[in-house]
Amino acid sequence: MHLGPCLLSREEIAETVAALAREISDDYRDRVSEESPLLLVGILKGAVVFMSDLMRELSIPVSLDFMAVSSYGASTESTGVVRILHDLDTPIEHRHVIIVEDIVDTGLTLQYLREHFKSRGPASLRVVALLDKPERRSANVAVEYVGRAIPDDFVVGYGLDWDQKYRDLPCVRIVCDDEGEGSV
Ligand code: IMP
Ligand code: MG
C-alpha cells in the first residue's frame, strides 16, 4: 500500500471550506443569534480538522459539540453497525443543528445519526460533509451541504484515516495498492 498524489490540495480544500461556510452563514444568518447560536456537531475523529477550519470561516454565532461513533475497525468497508462511543454533552432540543462529517460513503452512519438526532427534537437538522462518494451510497440519506464529490477510492488526510493513520496530512490523498491505482 502507498499514498497517491494529492486528490485535493491544501488550496482546493481551503476554497471548498470557505464556499461551504459562506453558504451556511447566508442560510442561518436570520435564524441564529449570540443567545441561540448554530450548534455544530462534529463526528469524531475524522471531522475534527474540517470542523476547526469551517467554524473559523463562518460569519454567524456558533457553538460546538462532538459525538464519537464507530462503524469501521481496521477495515475500509462500512459494517452498517453504528456504535455510539461518546454522546453529546448539550441538549439539542429547539436548537439549530448541523452535523459535521468528513466524508459520506455508504451513508449508513449518517442515516443512523439523522434518526438519532431527529428523535431529540432539534429546531432544524442539516448535514455538512467535506467529501462525498455518491457511487458508494446504499442508504438514501440527505446531505444538505457537500464540499466535493470524489470517485470511489479510499482517501486519507485532512482528518481522514486509514487504520488511524494519516489524519495529519494537509491534503487529501488516495490510498493505492502496490499493483497500481485505486483503493486497497
Ligand atoms: P459510511 O457509513 O459508509 O457513509 O461511512 C462513513 C464514515 O466512514 C466516514 O465518516 C469516515 O469516517 C469513514 N470513511 C468512509 N470513506 C472513507 C475514506 O475514503 N477514507 C477514510 N474514511 C472513510
Ligand atoms: Mg467519520
Side-chain angles (χ1 to χ4, degrees):
M1 185 290 269
H2 67 277
L3 300 182
C6 282
L7 178 67
L8 288 178
S9 67
R10 290 167 101 120
E11 293 72 25
E12 286 168 323
I13 294 171
E15 280 165 25
T16 304
V17 173
L20 286 170
R22 276 195 299 275
E23 197 184 345
I24 293 171
S25 299
D26 288 348
D27 290 352
Y28 284 86
R29 197 168 321 278
D30 298 333
R31 294 204 262 172
V32 298
S33 62
E34 293 292 346
E35 294 70 42
S36 179
L38 175 65
L39 180 63
L40 297 177
V41 177
I43 307 305
L44 296 170
K45 302 167 188 152
V48 161
V49 181
F50 172 43
M51 182 151 146
S52 71
D53 283 345
L54 180 71
M55 63 187 270
R56 286 176 290 176
E57 292 288 335
L58 290 168
S59 54
I60 51 171
V62 292
S63 58
L64 308 183
D65 205 344
F66 294 94
M67 194 159 187
V69 299
S70 110
S71 52
Y72 291 175
S75 128
T76 56
E77 286 296 315
S78 187
T79 58
V81 179
V82 178
R83 264 192 319 140
I84 296 184
L85 306 176
H86 171 79
D87 209 341
L88 301 174
D89 293 333
T90 26
I92 62 167
E93 207 180 358
H94 309 312
R95 300 287 306 271
H96 291 291
V97 177
I98 296 189
I99 299 174
V100 182
E101 261 286 28
D102 48 1
I103 188 167
V104 186
D105 186 29
T106 63
L108 291 167
T109 308
L110 206 51
Q111 187 175 49
Y112 173 85
L113 287 173
R114 283 198 87 114
E115 287 309 312
H116 182 80
F117 276 60
K118 252 187 7 216
S119 69
R120 296 180 178 187
S124 69
L125 178 65
R126 290 186 180 175
V127 173
V128 59
L130 177 69
L131 304 174
D132 182 19
K133 288 195 255 186
E135 286 168 50
R136 296 259 308 162
R137 195 76 85 259
S138 62
N140 182 17
V141 63
V143 186
E144 285 82 0
Y145 303 101
V146 172
R148 296 276 186 129
I150 62 167
D152 175 14
D153 287 308
F154 201 82
V155 292
V156 294
Y158 198 70
L160 291 126
D161 73 305
W162 183 70
D163 201 10
Q164 299 302 324
K165 293 190 284 280
Y166 310 120
R167 295 192 195 275
D168 53 316
L169 299 178
C171 72
V172 173
R173 293 175 184 271
I174 295 176
V175 178
C176 300
D177 64 33
D178 285 323
E179 253 96 280
E181 317 251 309
S183 35
V184 282

